[in-house]
Amino acid sequence: MIHGYHVILPMYGVWLPNDPRGAWSDFVWKWELLRYGRASKTLERRELRELSAAEIQQRDVAQKRLRYPPVVLTGLQAQSIGQGFAHTVKKSGYTVWACAILPQHTHLVIARHTYKVEYIVNLMKGGASKQVINDDRHPLRAFAVNGRYPRMWAERRWKVYLDSEEQIETAIHYVEDNPIEEDKPRQHWNFVTPFQGLAPGHVTYH
């Protein structure tokens, strides 16, 4: 039985459908990117440091063909995203067991809910985007037209189903340690609920 999800949300432009690190897509929809490689759909991910110099160069050139520059968050923008997540979690009654908001992607460990995880994630991304705009911190605000902002998130996301306490705890530790891997301090968010194990037959519904 699925009890939770580990979700990774990349920012716009940092993880392309033909990214040599792996991607979700079966097809490269933008012809501007197709010349830099076919879709690289895989369940496995490679770290940037694992790529060859040629692969990194190919990725960098492809990014320059995007409509907007890749989004890399500042600390203040990450704070706004966290506040947006907090509002959404409180309003909708979701349970988040871990969160790490990094410059190019965000990790979440989310308990199972009556709604599908894709719906939960879309609401949380929407709440975060709204807060960033309200705080006048949108990373692509220079490209806004008539009050409409480009998406700061990638369209897709990675998700891993968690069906045991061990898997949930492993995902939580991974997310909590992720900022340290990027030489950043451990993060603490007020909307995160400490995981205290699963009761027999437990399913987290609200």
Side-chain angles (χ1 to χ4, degrees), residues 111-154:
R112 183 177 177 180
H113 194 273
T114 50
Y115 298 121
K116 291 183 178 181
V117 65
E118 292 82 2
Y119 180 82
I120 295 172
V121 166
N122 284 340
L123 282 184
M124 293 190 68
K125 287 165 63 174
S129 297
K130 180 178 179 180
Q131 186 66 48
V132 168
I133 292 172
N134 290 343
D135 293 342
D136 195 24
R137 295 173 178 172
H138 197 286
L140 297 175
R141 63 183 175 182
F143 302 94
V145 177
N146 296 326
R148 296 180 63 87
Y149 291 75
R151 289 195 187 100
M152 66 178 187
W153 302 98

mmCIF file of all heavy atoms in Angstrom, residues 111-154:
data_model
loop_
_atom_site.group_PDB
_atom_site.id
_atom_site.type_symbol
_atom_site.label_atom_id
_atom_site.label_comp_id
_atom_site.label_asym_id
_atom_site.label_seq_id
_atom_site.Cartn_x
_atom_site.Cartn_y
_atom_site.Cartn_z
ATOM 1 N N ALA A 111 2.603 12.843 2.580
ATOM 2 C CA ALA A 111 1.778 11.699 2.953
ATOM 3 C C ALA A 111 0.653 11.501 1.955
ATOM 4 O O ALA A 111 0.165 12.458 1.336
ATOM 5 C CB ALA A 111 1.197 11.906 4.355
ATOM 6 N N ARG A 112 0.226 10.275 1.803
ATOM 7 C CA ARG A 112 -0.892 9.969 0.908
ATOM 8 C C ARG A 112 -2.139 10.721 1.361
ATOM 9 O O ARG A 112 -2.379 10.914 2.555
ATOM 10 C CB ARG A 112 -1.148 8.466 0.903
ATOM 11 C CG ARG A 112 -2.246 8.043 -0.063
ATOM 12 C CD ARG A 112 -2.406 6.535 -0.067
ATOM 13 N NE ARG A 112 -3.503 6.116 -0.935
ATOM 14 C CZ ARG A 112 -3.850 4.844 -1.123
ATOM 15 N NH1 ARG A 112 -3.181 3.883 -0.518
ATOM 16 N NH2 ARG A 112 -4.855 4.535 -1.916
ATOM 17 N N HIS A 113 -2.936 11.123 0.395
ATOM 18 C CA HIS A 113 -4.128 11.925 0.642
ATOM 19 C C HIS A 113 -5.247 11.399 -0.239
ATOM 20 O O HIS A 113 -5.017 10.532 -1.099
ATOM 21 C CB HIS A 113 -3.813 13.397 0.306
ATOM 22 C CG HIS A 113 -4.805 14.384 0.806
ATOM 23 N ND1 HIS A 113 -5.930 14.718 0.089
ATOM 24 C CD2 HIS A 113 -4.838 15.124 1.941
ATOM 25 C CE1 HIS A 113 -6.611 15.626 0.762
ATOM 26 N NE2 HIS A 113 -5.980 15.883 1.890
ATOM 27 N N THR A 114 -6.461 11.892 -0.037
ATOM 28 C CA THR A 114 -7.563 11.475 -0.899
ATOM 29 C C THR A 114 -7.347 11.914 -2.337
ATOM 30 O O THR A 114 -7.819 11.278 -3.272
ATOM 31 C CB THR A 114 -8.898 12.053 -0.393
ATOM 32 O OG1 THR A 114 -8.725 13.457 -0.168
ATOM 33 C CG2 THR A 114 -9.330 11.389 0.894
ATOM 34 N N TYR A 115 -6.620 13.041 -2.528
ATOM 35 C CA TYR A 115 -6.313 13.526 -3.868
ATOM 36 C C TYR A 115 -5.022 12.902 -4.378
ATOM 37 O O TYR A 115 -4.127 12.557 -3.602
ATOM 38 C CB TYR A 115 -6.178 15.042 -3.875
ATOM 39 C CG TYR A 115 -7.437 15.777 -3.488
ATOM 40 C CD1 TYR A 115 -7.452 16.630 -2.402
ATOM 41 C CD2 TYR A 115 -8.616 15.611 -4.215
ATOM 42 C CE1 TYR A 115 -8.606 17.308 -2.037
ATOM 43 C CE2 TYR A 115 -9.775 16.271 -3.868
ATOM 44 C CZ TYR A 115 -9.773 17.120 -2.775
ATOM 45 O OH TYR A 115 -10.910 17.776 -2.425
ATOM 46 N N LYS A 116 -4.908 12.799 -5.685
ATOM 47 C CA LYS A 116 -3.691 12.282 -6.285
ATOM 48 C C LYS A 116 -2.532 13.229 -6.013
ATOM 49 O O LYS A 116 -2.723 14.441 -5.882
ATOM 50 C CB LYS A 116 -3.873 12.109 -7.800
ATOM 51 C CG LYS A 116 -4.834 10.995 -8.179
ATOM 52 C CD LYS A 116 -4.906 10.836 -9.688
ATOM 53 C CE LYS A 116 -5.819 9.688 -10.081
ATOM 54 N NZ LYS A 116 -5.876 9.509 -11.563
ATOM 55 N N VAL A 117 -1.340 12.683 -5.970
ATOM 56 C CA VAL A 117 -0.171 13.499 -5.663
ATOM 57 C C VAL A 117 0.044 14.585 -6.711
ATOM 58 O O VAL A 117 0.502 15.690 -6.396
ATOM 59 C CB VAL A 117 1.086 12.616 -5.513
ATOM 60 C CG1 VAL A 117 1.456 11.945 -6.839
ATOM 61 C CG2 VAL A 117 2.254 13.423 -4.978
ATOM 62 N N GLU A 118 -0.310 14.307 -7.970
ATOM 63 C CA GLU A 118 -0.155 15.321 -9.018
ATOM 64 C C GLU A 118 -1.021 16.553 -8.710
ATOM 65 O O GLU A 118 -0.596 17.695 -8.928
ATOM 66 C CB GLU A 118 -0.533 14.751 -10.380
ATOM 67 C CG GLU A 118 0.408 13.680 -10.900
ATOM 68 C CD GLU A 118 0.145 12.306 -10.352
ATOM 69 O OE1 GLU A 118 -0.826 12.151 -9.566
ATOM 70 O OE2 GLU A 118 0.889 11.366 -10.690
ATOM 71 N N TYR A 119 -2.219 16.319 -8.214
ATOM 72 C CA TYR A 119 -3.115 17.419 -7.854
ATOM 73 C C TYR A 119 -2.545 18.201 -6.669
ATOM 74 O O TYR A 119 -2.556 19.440 -6.666
ATOM 75 C CB TYR A 119 -4.492 16.857 -7.518
ATOM 76 C CG TYR A 119 -5.516 17.899 -7.124
ATOM 77 C CD1 TYR A 119 -6.204 18.621 -8.103
ATOM 78 C CD2 TYR A 119 -5.800 18.155 -5.786
ATOM 79 C CE1 TYR A 119 -7.150 19.577 -7.751
ATOM 80 C CE2 TYR A 119 -6.738 19.118 -5.425
ATOM 81 C CZ TYR A 119 -7.417 19.815 -6.408
ATOM 82 O OH TYR A 119 -8.340 20.771 -6.053
ATOM 83 N N ILE A 120 -2.053 17.490 -5.669
ATOM 84 C CA ILE A 120 -1.455 18.131 -4.498
ATOM 85 C C ILE A 120 -0.286 19.010 -4.917
ATOM 86 O O ILE A 120 -0.166 20.174 -4.505
ATOM 87 C CB ILE A 120 -0.981 17.067 -3.484
ATOM 88 C CG1 ILE A 120 -2.175 16.290 -2.932
ATOM 89 C CG2 ILE A 120 -0.194 17.709 -2.348
ATOM 90 C CD1 ILE A 120 -1.788 15.106 -2.074
ATOM 91 N N VAL A 121 0.588 18.456 -5.745
ATOM 92 C CA VAL A 121 1.778 19.188 -6.178
ATOM 93 C C VAL A 121 1.401 20.431 -6.970
ATOM 94 O O VAL A 121 1.988 21.509 -6.786
ATOM 95 C CB VAL A 121 2.696 18.260 -6.997
ATOM 96 C CG1 VAL A 121 3.759 19.060 -7.737
ATOM 97 C CG2 VAL A 121 3.355 17.230 -6.083
ATOM 98 N N ASN A 122 0.417 20.309 -7.854
ATOM 99 C CA ASN A 122 0.004 21.468 -8.642
ATOM 100 C C ASN A 122 -0.534 22.588 -7.754
ATOM 101 O O ASN A 122 -0.253 23.769 -7.992
ATOM 102 C CB ASN A 122 -1.042 21.061 -9.674
ATOM 103 C CG ASN A 122 -0.445 20.320 -10.852
ATOM 104 O OD1 ASN A 122 0.753 20.415 -11.115
ATOM 105 N ND2 ASN A 122 -1.269 19.568 -11.558
ATOM 106 N N LEU A 123 -1.294 22.226 -6.719
ATOM 107 C CA LEU A 123 -1.804 23.239 -5.798
ATOM 108 C C LEU A 123 -0.662 23.896 -5.013
ATOM 109 O O LEU A 123 -0.663 25.110 -4.795
ATOM 110 C CB LEU A 123 -2.816 22.623 -4.835
ATOM 111 C CG LEU A 123 -4.231 22.374 -5.355
ATOM 112 C CD1 LEU A 123 -5.126 21.855 -4.237
ATOM 113 C CD2 LEU A 123 -4.829 23.641 -5.945
ATOM 114 N N MET A 124 0.298 23.096 -4.605
ATOM 115 C CA MET A 124 1.412 23.655 -3.838
ATOM 116 C C MET A 124 2.291 24.556 -4.705
ATOM 117 O O MET A 124 2.727 25.625 -4.273
ATOM 118 C CB MET A 124 2.233 22.528 -3.207
ATOM 119 C CG MET A 124 1.457 21.779 -2.132
ATOM 120 S SD MET A 124 2.469 20.632 -1.157
ATOM 121 C CE MET A 124 3.532 21.762 -0.256
ATOM 122 N N LYS A 125 2.521 24.146 -5.947
ATOM 123 C CA LYS A 125 3.269 25.005 -6.868
ATOM 124 C C LYS A 125 2.520 26.306 -7.128
ATOM 125 O O LYS A 125 3.114 27.388 -7.176
ATOM 126 C CB LYS A 125 3.531 24.253 -8.180
ATOM 127 C CG LYS A 125 4.582 23.166 -8.058
ATOM 128 C CD LYS A 125 4.571 22.216 -9.248
ATOM 129 C CE LYS A 125 4.900 22.873 -10.545
ATOM 130 N NZ LYS A 125 5.008 21.901 -11.656
ATOM 131 N N GLY A 126 1.194 26.201 -7.284
ATOM 132 C CA GLY A 126 0.395 27.390 -7.510
ATOM 133 C C GLY A 126 0.424 28.331 -6.322
ATOM 134 O O GLY A 126 0.548 29.557 -6.473
ATOM 135 N N GLY A 127 0.328 27.767 -5.108
ATOM 136 C CA GLY A 127 0.386 28.588 -3.910
ATOM 137 C C GLY A 127 1.733 29.268 -3.759
ATOM 138 O O GLY A 127 1.817 30.444 -3.358
ATOM 139 N N ALA A 128 2.801 28.559 -4.096
ATOM 140 C CA ALA A 128 4.141 29.131 -4.014
ATOM 141 C C ALA A 128 4.320 30.244 -5.033
ATOM 142 O O ALA A 128 4.877 31.310 -4.715
ATOM 143 C CB ALA A 128 5.187 28.038 -4.232
ATOM 144 N N SER A 129 3.850 30.023 -6.255
ATOM 145 C CA SER A 129 3.981 31.041 -7.298
ATOM 146 C C SER A 129 3.213 32.306 -6.918
ATOM 147 O O SER A 129 3.700 33.427 -7.116
ATOM 148 C CB SER A 129 3.467 30.501 -8.635
ATOM 149 O OG SER A 129 4.237 29.394 -9.066
ATOM 150 N N LYS A 130 2.015 32.133 -6.355
ATOM 151 C CA LYS A 130 1.211 33.284 -5.944
ATOM 152 C C LYS A 130 1.938 34.094 -4.866
ATOM 153 O O LYS A 130 1.975 35.326 -4.911
ATOM 154 C CB LYS A 130 -0.140 32.811 -5.415
ATOM 155 C CG LYS A 130 -1.053 33.937 -4.970
ATOM 156 C CD LYS A 130 -2.398 33.395 -4.501
ATOM 157 C CE LYS A 130 -3.308 34.523 -4.027
ATOM 158 N NZ LYS A 130 -4.631 33.989 -3.563
ATOM 159 N N GLN A 131 2.550 33.398 -3.908
ATOM 160 C CA GLN A 131 3.253 34.089 -2.834
ATOM 161 C C GLN A 131 4.480 34.832 -3.359
ATOM 162 O O GLN A 131 4.768 35.962 -2.958
ATOM 163 C CB GLN A 131 3.677 33.085 -1.761
ATOM 164 C CG GLN A 131 4.287 33.722 -0.514
ATOM 165 C CD GLN A 131 3.280 34.552 0.257
ATOM 166 O OE1 GLN A 131 2.170 34.087 0.519
ATOM 167 N NE2 GLN A 131 3.652 35.774 0.597
ATOM 168 N N VAL A 132 5.202 34.216 -4.279
ATOM 169 C CA VAL A 132 6.380 34.852 -4.856
ATOM 170 C C VAL A 132 5.999 36.131 -5.597
ATOM 171 O O VAL A 132 6.690 37.158 -5.503
ATOM 172 C CB VAL A 132 7.107 33.865 -5.801
ATOM 173 C CG1 VAL A 132 8.157 34.580 -6.636
ATOM 174 C CG2 VAL A 132 7.771 32.753 -4.995
ATOM 175 N N ILE A 133 4.877 36.093 -6.313
ATOM 176 C CA ILE A 133 4.405 37.283 -7.020
ATOM 177 C C ILE A 133 3.974 38.354 -6.019
ATOM 178 O O ILE A 133 4.308 39.540 -6.170
ATOM 179 C CB ILE A 133 3.247 36.916 -7.971
ATOM 180 C CG1 ILE A 133 3.765 36.041 -9.115
ATOM 181 C CG2 ILE A 133 2.582 38.183 -8.525
ATOM 182 C CD1 ILE A 133 2.675 35.465 -9.994
ATOM 183 N N ASN A 134 3.231 37.954 -4.979
ATOM 184 C CA ASN A 134 2.790 38.916 -3.964
ATOM 185 C C ASN A 134 3.967 39.592 -3.269
ATOM 186 O O ASN A 134 3.885 40.769 -2.886
ATOM 187 C CB ASN A 134 1.911 38.223 -2.922
ATOM 188 C CG ASN A 134 0.554 37.820 -3.471
ATOM 189 O OD1 ASN A 134 0.130 38.310 -4.525
ATOM 190 N ND2 ASN A 134 -0.129 36.927 -2.780
ATOM 191 N N ASP A 135 5.068 38.849 -3.113
ATOM 192 C CA ASP A 135 6.261 39.395 -2.467
ATOM 193 C C ASP A 135 7.168 40.133 -3.443
ATOM 194 O O ASP A 135 8.243 40.611 -3.048
ATOM 195 C CB ASP A 135 7.053 38.265 -1.800
ATOM 196 C CG ASP A 135 6.323 37.645 -0.619
ATOM 197 O OD1 ASP A 135 5.391 38.296 -0.106
ATOM 198 O OD2 ASP A 135 6.671 36.515 -0.223
ATOM 199 N N ASP A 136 6.749 40.212 -4.711
ATOM 200 C CA ASP A 136 7.534 40.847 -5.768
ATOM 201 C C ASP A 136 8.932 40.225 -5.878
ATOM 202 O O ASP A 136 9.935 40.914 -6.004
ATOM 203 C CB ASP A 136 7.661 42.359 -5.527
ATOM 204 C CG ASP A 136 8.143 43.107 -6.772
ATOM 205 O OD1 ASP A 136 7.941 42.590 -7.886
ATOM 206 O OD2 ASP A 136 8.736 44.195 -6.615
ATOM 207 N N ARG A 137 8.953 38.890 -5.851
ATOM 208 C CA ARG A 137 10.223 38.164 -5.922
ATOM 209 C C ARG A 137 10.242 37.142 -7.050
ATOM 210 O O ARG A 137 11.080 36.237 -7.071
ATOM 211 C CB ARG A 137 10.497 37.448 -4.591
ATOM 212 C CG ARG A 137 10.713 38.372 -3.406
ATOM 213 C CD ARG A 137 10.797 37.586 -2.111
ATOM 214 N NE ARG A 137 11.060 38.461 -0.963
ATOM 215 C CZ ARG A 137 11.024 38.059 0.311
ATOM 216 N NH1 ARG A 137 10.729 36.790 0.586
ATOM 217 N NH2 ARG A 137 11.269 38.906 1.289
ATOM 218 N N HIS A 138 9.332 37.256 -7.998
ATOM 219 C CA HIS A 138 9.269 36.252 -9.056
ATOM 220 C C HIS A 138 10.572 36.286 -9.861
ATOM 221 O O HIS A 138 11.006 37.346 -10.325
ATOM 222 C CB HIS A 138 8.081 36.513 -9.983
ATOM 223 C CG HIS A 138 7.709 35.337 -10.823
ATOM 224 N ND1 HIS A 138 8.467 34.932 -11.905
ATOM 225 C CD2 HIS A 138 6.669 34.472 -10.735
ATOM 226 C CE1 HIS A 138 7.902 33.873 -12.453
ATOM 227 N NE2 HIS A 138 6.818 33.567 -11.775
ATOM 228 N N PRO A 139 11.212 35.121 -10.046
ATOM 229 C CA PRO A 139 12.509 35.098 -10.736
ATOM 230 C C PRO A 139 12.441 35.509 -12.210
ATOM 231 O O PRO A 139 13.468 35.866 -12.793
ATOM 232 C CB PRO A 139 12.973 33.643 -10.587
ATOM 233 C CG PRO A 139 11.723 32.874 -10.309
ATOM 234 C CD PRO A 139 10.828 33.796 -9.547
ATOM 235 N N LEU A 140 11.250 35.463 -12.816
ATOM 236 C CA LEU A 140 11.096 35.853 -14.220
ATOM 237 C C LEU A 140 10.200 37.083 -14.361
ATOM 238 O O LEU A 140 9.562 37.284 -15.386
ATOM 239 C CB LEU A 140 10.517 34.685 -15.031
ATOM 240 C CG LEU A 140 11.392 33.419 -15.110
ATOM 241 C CD1 LEU A 140 10.659 32.295 -15.833
ATOM 242 C CD2 LEU A 140 12.727 33.711 -15.789
ATOM 243 N N ARG A 141 10.199 37.932 -13.353
ATOM 244 C CA ARG A 141 9.317 39.102 -13.385
ATOM 245 C C ARG A 141 9.685 40.067 -14.509
ATOM 246 O O ARG A 141 8.833 40.822 -14.989
ATOM 247 C CB ARG A 141 9.344 39.825 -12.044
ATOM 248 C CG ARG A 141 10.690 40.402 -11.644
ATOM 249 C CD ARG A 141 10.608 41.028 -10.267
ATOM 250 N NE ARG A 141 11.928 41.482 -9.815
ATOM 251 C CZ ARG A 141 12.146 42.025 -8.628
ATOM 252 N NH1 ARG A 141 11.146 42.175 -7.785
ATOM 253 N NH2 ARG A 141 13.363 42.400 -8.285
ATOM 254 N N ALA A 142 10.928 40.055 -14.954
ATOM 255 C CA ALA A 142 11.337 40.935 -16.054
ATOM 256 C C ALA A 142 10.630 40.570 -17.349
ATOM 257 O O ALA A 142 10.576 41.381 -18.283
ATOM 258 C CB ALA A 142 12.848 40.866 -16.246
ATOM 259 N N PHE A 143 10.052 39.355 -17.413
ATOM 260 C CA PHE A 143 9.389 38.885 -18.633
ATOM 261 C C PHE A 143 7.868 38.891 -18.490
ATOM 262 O O PHE A 143 7.169 38.371 -19.365
ATOM 263 C CB PHE A 143 9.879 37.480 -18.980
ATOM 264 C CG PHE A 143 11.369 37.393 -19.181
ATOM 265 C CD1 PHE A 143 12.204 37.024 -18.125
ATOM 266 C CD2 PHE A 143 11.936 37.695 -20.409
ATOM 267 C CE1 PHE A 143 13.577 36.954 -18.308
ATOM 268 C CE2 PHE A 143 13.306 37.622 -20.591
ATOM 269 C CZ PHE A 143 14.130 37.262 -19.532
ATOM 270 N N ALA A 144 7.354 39.471 -17.397
ATOM 271 C CA ALA A 144 5.908 39.530 -17.192
ATOM 272 C C ALA A 144 5.271 40.478 -18.208
ATOM 273 O O ALA A 144 5.845 41.512 -18.555
ATOM 274 C CB ALA A 144 5.596 39.988 -15.776
ATOM 275 N N VAL A 145 4.088 40.108 -18.674
ATOM 276 C CA VAL A 145 3.349 40.931 -19.632
ATOM 277 C C VAL A 145 1.929 41.113 -19.115
ATOM 278 O O VAL A 145 1.210 40.130 -18.898
ATOM 279 C CB VAL A 145 3.317 40.275 -21.034
ATOM 280 C CG1 VAL A 145 2.491 41.116 -21.989
ATOM 281 C CG2 VAL A 145 4.731 40.074 -21.555
ATOM 282 N N ASN A 146 1.552 42.365 -18.888
ATOM 283 C CA ASN A 146 0.205 42.688 -18.400
ATOM 284 C C ASN A 146 -0.155 41.893 -17.141
ATOM 285 O O ASN A 146 -1.269 41.374 -16.995
ATOM 286 C CB ASN A 146 -0.832 42.424 -19.493
ATOM 287 C CG ASN A 146 -0.646 43.311 -20.704
ATOM 288 O OD1 ASN A 146 -0.242 44.467 -20.582
ATOM 289 N ND2 ASN A 146 -0.923 42.770 -21.892
ATOM 290 N N GLY A 147 0.819 41.785 -16.248
ATOM 291 C CA GLY A 147 0.576 41.098 -14.986
ATOM 292 C C GLY A 147 0.619 39.591 -15.056
ATOM 293 O O GLY A 147 0.371 38.907 -14.051
ATOM 294 N N ARG A 148 0.933 39.032 -16.219
ATOM 295 C CA ARG A 148 1.036 37.577 -16.376
ATOM 296 C C ARG A 148 2.511 37.175 -16.386
ATOM 297 O O ARG A 148 3.296 37.708 -17.172
ATOM 298 C CB ARG A 148 0.354 37.120 -17.670
ATOM 299 C CG ARG A 148 -1.151 37.386 -17.667
ATOM 300 C CD ARG A 148 -1.780 36.912 -18.967
ATOM 301 N NE ARG A 148 -1.643 35.475 -19.132
ATOM 302 C CZ ARG A 148 -2.506 34.590 -18.650
ATOM 303 N NH1 ARG A 148 -3.558 35.003 -17.947
ATOM 304 N NH2 ARG A 148 -2.334 33.306 -18.850
ATOM 305 N N TYR A 149 2.846 36.238 -15.516
ATOM 306 C CA TYR A 149 4.230 35.828 -15.343
ATOM 307 C C TYR A 149 4.490 34.478 -16.007
ATOM 308 O O TYR A 149 3.622 33.587 -15.974
ATOM 309 C CB TYR A 149 4.567 35.702 -13.851
ATOM 310 C CG TYR A 149 4.598 37.015 -13.109
ATOM 311 C CD1 TYR A 149 3.417 37.674 -12.763
ATOM 312 C CD2 TYR A 149 5.800 37.602 -12.738
ATOM 313 C CE1 TYR A 149 3.433 38.885 -12.075
ATOM 314 C CE2 TYR A 149 5.839 38.807 -12.041
ATOM 315 C CZ TYR A 149 4.651 39.432 -11.722
ATOM 316 O OH TYR A 149 4.679 40.622 -11.032
ATOM 317 N N PRO A 150 5.673 34.287 -16.580
ATOM 318 C CA PRO A 150 6.022 32.941 -17.075
ATOM 319 C C PRO A 150 6.087 31.954 -15.909
ATOM 320 O O PRO A 150 6.269 32.348 -14.755
ATOM 321 C CB PRO A 150 7.421 33.142 -17.685
ATOM 322 C CG PRO A 150 7.549 34.613 -17.896
ATOM 323 C CD PRO A 150 6.736 35.268 -16.833
ATOM 324 N N ARG A 151 5.932 30.684 -16.212
ATOM 325 C CA ARG A 151 6.062 29.661 -15.171
ATOM 326 C C ARG A 151 7.483 29.631 -14.639
ATOM 327 O O ARG A 151 8.442 29.607 -15.409
ATOM 328 C CB ARG A 151 5.736 28.274 -15.728
ATOM 329 C CG ARG A 151 4.265 28.045 -16.041
ATOM 330 C CD ARG A 151 4.034 26.555 -16.228
ATOM 331 N NE ARG A 151 2.689 26.269 -16.689
ATOM 332 C CZ ARG A 151 2.358 26.016 -17.936
ATOM 333 N NH1 ARG A 151 3.307 26.025 -18.850
ATOM 334 N NH2 ARG A 151 1.113 25.762 -18.271
ATOM 335 N N MET A 152 7.612 29.592 -13.327
ATOM 336 C CA MET A 152 8.946 29.471 -12.742
ATOM 337 C C MET A 152 9.296 28.007 -12.454
ATOM 338 O O MET A 152 10.432 27.686 -12.129
ATOM 339 C CB MET A 152 9.062 30.292 -11.461
ATOM 340 C CG MET A 152 8.217 29.822 -10.306
ATOM 341 S SD MET A 152 8.499 30.863 -8.846
ATOM 342 C CE MET A 152 7.552 29.955 -7.618
ATOM 343 N N TRP A 153 8.297 27.113 -12.565
ATOM 344 C CA TRP A 153 8.513 25.687 -12.350
ATOM 345 C C TRP A 153 8.605 24.959 -13.695
ATOM 346 O O TRP A 153 8.005 25.370 -14.673
ATOM 347 C CB TRP A 153 7.348 25.069 -11.572
ATOM 348 C CG TRP A 153 7.082 25.670 -10.234
ATOM 349 C CD1 TRP A 153 6.138 26.603 -9.931
ATOM 350 C CD2 TRP A 153 7.753 25.368 -9.009
ATOM 351 N NE1 TRP A 153 6.177 26.908 -8.595
ATOM 352 C CE2 TRP A 153 7.154 26.170 -8.007
ATOM 353 C CE3 TRP A 153 8.795 24.509 -8.654
ATOM 354 C CZ2 TRP A 153 7.560 26.125 -6.677
ATOM 355 C CZ3 TRP A 153 9.205 24.456 -7.336
ATOM 356 C CH2 TRP A 153 8.597 25.253 -6.363
ATOM 357 N N ALA A 154 9.316 23.839 -13.709
ATOM 358 C CA ALA A 154 9.256 22.943 -14.857
ATOM 359 C C ALA A 154 7.861 22.326 -14.914
ATOM 360 O O ALA A 154 7.163 22.250 -13.898
ATOM 361 C CB ALA A 154 10.317 21.846 -14.728
#
